Amino acid sequence: MIAHPRAPAVVVVLLAFVASPTSLLKRLLLGRPFRSDRLQHTLLPKRIALPVFASDALSSVAYAPDEILLTLSIAGASAYFFSPWIALAVVVVMLTVVASYRQNVHAYPSGGGDYEVATVNLGPKFGVGVASALLVDYVLTVAVSVSSGVANLGSVVPFVATHKVLIAVSAVVLLSAVNLRGLRESGTAFAIPTYGFVIVMGGMLLTGLFRVFVLGDDLRAPSADLVIQAEHSVTGFALIFLLLRTFSSGAAALTGVEAISNGVPAFKAPKSRNAATTLLLLGSISVSMLVGIIWLARLTHLQFVEDPSLQIVSGPEGYVQKTVTTQLGETVFGSGSILLYVVAGMTALILFLAANTAFNGFPVLGSILAQDRYLPRQFHTRGDRLAFSNGIVFLAVFAIVLIVGFQAEVTRLIQLYIVGVFVSFTVSQAGMIRHWNRHLRTERDPEARRRMHRSRAINTFGAGLTGTVLVIVLITKFLLGAWIAIAAMAVIYVLMLGIRRHYDRIAVELTPPDEGRAVLPARNHAIVLVSKLHQPTLRAIAYARATRPDTLTAVTVNVDETDTRDLQAEWERREMAIPLTVIDSPYREITRPILDFVATARRKSPRDVVTVFIPEYVVGRWWENLLHNQSALRLKGRLLFEPGVMVVSVPWQLASTASKNLDRLDATLSRTPARGPRPSVPPLVSTPTGEGDQGDSTTTGSTRD
């Protein structure tokens, strides 16, 4: 192309973008942002999905045995006889839940999990109830897992034991940062420690059982020779109640199973089959470790009590009770052994990372709920790294509140736990029964019907069993703290229904009519607000005239007689083309007189509209806003509530805006880094005085100084 000889030369200047310290810190912690088309690269294979979604269920074997033994200790050391049977009951429930959820992921692979199953089959209110239970349970998962990790690490590191709240909060913050980097990155970061925990625990259990049954060693835990007294005499019905309470505490091992059904979209194809396989692996590994720990604890005569200061009658001087896994590590590998520290460290690490299950499940569920208009829409948007950033931050904040409020005490937090997850288990399985019944009414293929009958039988047994466990949990844990979780679920349930009603009401208001076109206004009355006759006012008048309204007038409020007379004199001297209306204000108020004038102009005809032009100047420095009043902002905010009134801001950029870093402002407003230098924008509106734009508006200030 040949340039015209008179065409103005175009000079392209490439400017280097200098990121702000905040932007640099964000990029350092979270990494570079991902394009939306990179979403498929964050999908997980089974080897990564297992540690991402199953770390919670795998890690529960680190505190579920503790809860079983300490609850039984209320009846004395003899009650430990029931621990294998309690563990066996927990195993039966876990295998049932795993088998049931394998049906779920095949039937509902979209990632809605229990929420989708309940909504589709039982109705929206059941779905919201399940969602509220899961949201509470996810928060508790983070608080319990991290607090338990601190307790295990504190067993070998005294500093951690004395600063457990600080360490727990720091762990939650670190987990949030890792998850904000994106799903695949968090999965890779957690794969090695999760598999390391499985290997270390498996090695400890196999070594201990080998020494007992093959080498014939008499292994005795550090607490084996302690003399323990019962807190209460437990017989008859009290013993049954204690066993039920122990079972409900041990059932914490089931938490996290539902996360896979919520995270099916994160799996690589075939999604349902990979999710079902991961569920089976999760159940097999968890059951093996839970049974192994309880078995080895019985073989080594390990004792773990609820209140050592009261229950331990005689023991070593300065005895400090260690967690079950730490005691087993010391028994198998020896006190002071490097392998003991490996066991304690890996147990603490997996418990910290177990919270990652919630960090992956909570944001996805929040996004689905936001899409269905039960949560604010901000939960549905992805951040720079294609993670649901708002959900991650929300989860972290509330988990920290619980950790601080309960001082990172696992025994206190565990009482709030598992109520929500068994609510979702039970309702979900009831929904699956209705799902299979509905499909059986239309399915004619014999082989498909056999599969459906088998799946329905599994879900029916699962619903009955998890419903029974839920009743046991409510009876045994209600007064111990479960009522707090139930109250939180109720509050979230009501809140989500309220949000949905709000969005539905707004949608109805904004829906255009089916027939007929929008009624055009009969006339447009334009009003330009004037305080002084300066360049911002001239620009506003010029722009108002360019819109060609039916009537046009300038309005000023008389709050000072001298200023008003000077304005009128200047108006006449310049021979302005439009009239100036002066509104008297005896009490020096600005907003109310203008509102009354606008209302009067519109009352003449309901089909008329009034367009109010407000000249404003734009300052470039934050402190300049402190030197000018904000009457324009107040006027705009109030005029927006007036029906039939349009508000137009006409900006005038002051010289200080030339130094404003607009690239940094763009990055801040869009939460993404600027892609290149900001081009200069030519003025769109010419004015009588010939002024031009100097930049985009940032912070507005009134022309009334």
Side-chain angles (χ1 to χ4, degrees):
M1 180 181 294
I2 301 175
H4 192 278
R6 290 194 174 186
V10 178
V11 180
V12 179
V13 181
L14 299 179
L15 302 177
F17 170 66
V18 180
S20 65
T22 304
S23 177
L24 289 175
L25 180 61
K26 181 180 179 182
R27 296 282 77 80
L28 179 64
L29 293 177
L30 305 183
R32 296 178 60 188
F34 285 157
R35 289 168 54 92
S36 296
D37 55 13
R38 284 285 306 275
L39 181 60
Q40 64 271 20
H41 296 290
T42 66
L43 299 180
L44 305 177
K46 292 190 293 293
R47 67 180 183 277
I48 301 298
L50 180 63
V52 167
F53 292 108
S55 56
D56 179 21
L58 293 176
S59 69
S60 62
V61 299
Y63 56 80
D66 296 39
E67 296 303 316
I68 291 174
L69 295 179
L70 73 83
T71 307
L72 289 173
S73 71
I74 296 174
S78 60
Y80 289 142
F81 165 79
F82 297 102
S83 60
W85 302 104
I86 298 295
L88 181 60
V90 173
V91 166
V92 171
V93 177
M94 176 173 286
L95 293 178
T96 302
V97 171
V98 168
S100 299
Y101 271 88
R102 281 171 58 85
Q103 318 308 313
N104 288 34
V105 298
H106 284 296
Y108 295 92
S110 61
D114 295 339
Y115 165 71
E116 182 179 4
V117 173
T119 301
V120 171
N121 297 288
L122 301 177
K125 291 188 176 180
F126 281 92
V128 175
V130 167
S132 63
L134 285 174
L135 293 176
V136 171
D137 198 71
Y138 279 135
V139 176
L140 285 166
T141 294
V142 176
V144 171
S145 298
V146 172
S147 299
S148 182
V150 171
N152 276 272
L153 190 60
S155 296
V156 293
V157 182
F159 174 82
V160 175
T162 56
H163 299 83
K164 58 184 180 181
V165 175
L166 176 61
I167 300 298
V169 171
S170 301
V172 173
V173 173
L174 180 61
L175 283 170
S176 304
V178 173
N179 276 274
L180 287 171
R181 291 187 65 90
L183 187 59
R184 188 175 182 87
E185 282 67 21
S186 64
T188 305
F190 297 148
I192 296 176
T194 301
Y195 286 126
F197 169 74
V198 173
I199 293 172
V200 167
M201 291 300 296
M204 181 188 72
L205 295 175
L206 291 175
T207 301
L209 295 175
F210 179 82
R211 290 184 60 183
V212 171
F213 291 107
V214 178
L215 301 182
D217 293 344
D218 183 21
L219 298 182
R220 296 186 67 81
S223 59
D225 298 322
L226 298 177
V227 178
I228 298 176
Q229 69 175 5
E231 289 189 24
H232 307 283
S233 178
V234 180
T235 57
F237 179 78
L239 178 61
I240 295 175
F241 185 84
L242 177 66
L243 294 178
L244 292 176
R245 177 183 165 187
T246 305
F247 168 72
S248 65
S249 296
L254 278 76
T255 55
V257 175
E258 79 289 345
I260 291 180
S261 67
N262 294 331
V264 176
F267 284 79
K268 285 189 172 181
K271 297 178 182 293
S272 296
R273 189 172 69 185
N274 287 339
T277 303
T278 305
L279 262 171
L280 184 60
L281 291 173
L282 178 157
S284 302
I285 297 173
S286 297
V287 163
S288 301
M289 289 197 294
L290 178 63
V291 171
I293 290 175
I294 293 294
W295 189 13
L296 189 58
R298 291 296 297 139
L299 292 174
T300 59
H301 308 283
L302 186 148
Q303 300 183 104
F304 193 79
V305 299
E306 185 176 31
D307 191 344
S309 61
L310 296 178
Q311 293 180 259
I312 297 178
V313 177
S314 63
E317 185 71 22
Y319 174 77
V320 177
Q321 180 172 257
K322 298 179 180 179
T323 61
V324 170
T325 53
T326 304
Q327 289 192 52
L328 289 178
E330 185 174 343
T331 304
V332 173
F333 299 122
S335 178
S337 169
I338 185 64
L339 292 177
L340 167 62
Y341 288 94
V342 172
V343 170
M346 293 304 297
T347 303
L349 185 58
I350 189 61
L351 283 164
F352 289 146
L353 302 186
N356 185 64
T357 300
F359 273 106
N360 284 283
F362 183 99
V364 173
L365 178 60
S367 173
I368 295 172
L369 289 170
Q371 190 173 12
D372 290 345
R373 297 179 294 182
Y374 288 112
L375 286 180
R377 299 186 187 278
Q378 291 86 340
F379 283 86
H380 183 56
T381 57
R382 295 181 182 268
D384 286 356
R385 303 284 289 184
L386 298 179
F388 296 109
S389 305
N390 293 324
I392 292 173
V393 173
F394 186 91
L395 173 62
V397 169
F398 277 86
I400 290 174
V401 170
L402 279 178
I403 289 172
V404 174
F406 287 85
Q407 292 297 294
E409 292 288 345
V410 180
T411 303
R412 296 173 60 192
L413 286 167
I414 205 75
Q415 309 306 327
L416 285 67
Y417 210 19
I418 77 172
V419 177
V421 75
F422 274 99
V423 168
S424 63
F425 284 168
T426 305
V427 177
S428 172
Q429 298 315 303
M432 287 301 297
I433 294 172
R434 178 168 289 187
H435 167 84
W436 298 124
N437 288 338
R438 186 175 67 253
H439 283 274
L440 281 169
R441 286 196 292 267
T442 58
E443 183 60 55
R444 295 292 178 264
D445 181 56
E447 181 62 28
R449 289 182 64 85
R450 278 195 296 271
R451 289 196 302 268
M452 290 181 184
H453 279 295
R454 184 181 66 246
S455 298
R456 185 178 64 175
I458 294 173
N459 289 129
T460 301
F461 182 74
L465 189 58
T466 55
T468 303
V469 176
L470 175 61
V471 173
I472 294 172
V473 170
L474 291 175
I475 293 174
T476 58
K477 288 181 173 289
F478 185 82
L479 296 178
L480 297 175
W483 66 269
I484 300 176
I486 296 172
M489 294 174 202
V491 170
I492 294 175
Y493 177 84
V494 173
L495 183 62
M496 286 197 292
L497 290 181
I499 293 173
R500 176 59 187 261
R501 282 195 298 269
H502 169 78
Y503 280 133
D504 288 346
R505 184 172 62 252
I506 296 301
V508 171
E509 291 184 20
L510 299 182
T511 301
D514 295 334
E515 298 179 357
R517 298 179 180 179
V519 179
L520 296 177
R523 292 192 301 173
N524 178 20
H525 304 284
I527 298 174
V528 180
L529 300 185
V530 177
S531 61
K532 297 178 181 178
L533 194 53
H534 46 27
Q535 294 201 71
T537 300
L538 293 176
R539 167 176 283 186
I541 293 173
Y543 182 68
R545 294 180 65 187
T547 62
R548 299 184 181 278
D550 294 283
T551 63
L552 174 60
T553 183
V555 174
T556 188
V557 179
N558 180 19
V559 295
D560 185 279
E561 291 288 346
T562 302
D563 290 343
T564 302
R565 283 196 297 269
D566 291 343
L567 175 61
Q568 290 175 310
E570 181 69 10
W571 200 271
E572 294 176 358
R573 188 184 69 81
R574 286 181 173 266
E575 298 181 350
M576 300 299 295
I578 65 173
L580 174 65
T581 301
V582 179
I583 305 175
D584 191 37
S585 180
Y587 297 99
R588 299 162 303 282
E589 186 182 2
I590 297 176
T591 304
R592 175 51 56 185
I594 292 177
L595 291 174
D596 293 339
F597 182 84
V598 170
T600 302
R602 188 171 183 272
R603 274 197 297 266
K604 296 177 181 178
S605 175
R607 287 186 54 190
D608 290 359
V609 297
V610 177
T611 304
V612 181
F613 294 86
I614 303 178
E616 302 178 63
Y617 51 74
V618 183
V619 298
R621 304 178 183 91
W622 66 269
W623 53 265
E624 290 179 304
N625 290 298
L626 304 177
L627 304 180
H628 310 285
N629 67 55
Q630 298 295 308
S631 59
L633 294 177
R634 291 194 298 272
L635 272 171
K636 284 194 297 184
R638 182 59 183 86
L639 286 169
L640 291 175
F641 289 94
E642 295 294 323
V645 176
M646 314 301 164
V647 183
V648 178
S649 296
V650 184
W652 175 271
Q653 291 78 23
L654 296 178
S656 61
T657 60
S659 61
K660 188 73 173 179
N661 189 331
L662 299 181
D663 290 319
R664 181 185 301 176
L665 179 64
D666 290 343
T668 302
L669 295 178
S670 63
R671 295 185 180 179
T672 56
R675 301 302 181 190
R678 185 184 181 94
S680 176
V681 181
L684 299 179
V685 180
S686 60
T687 64
T689 55
E691 73 278 2
D693 291 349
Q694 298 181 26
D696 286 352
S697 62
T698 55
T699 305
T700 58
S702 170
T703 58
R704 294 184 175 274
D705 285 344

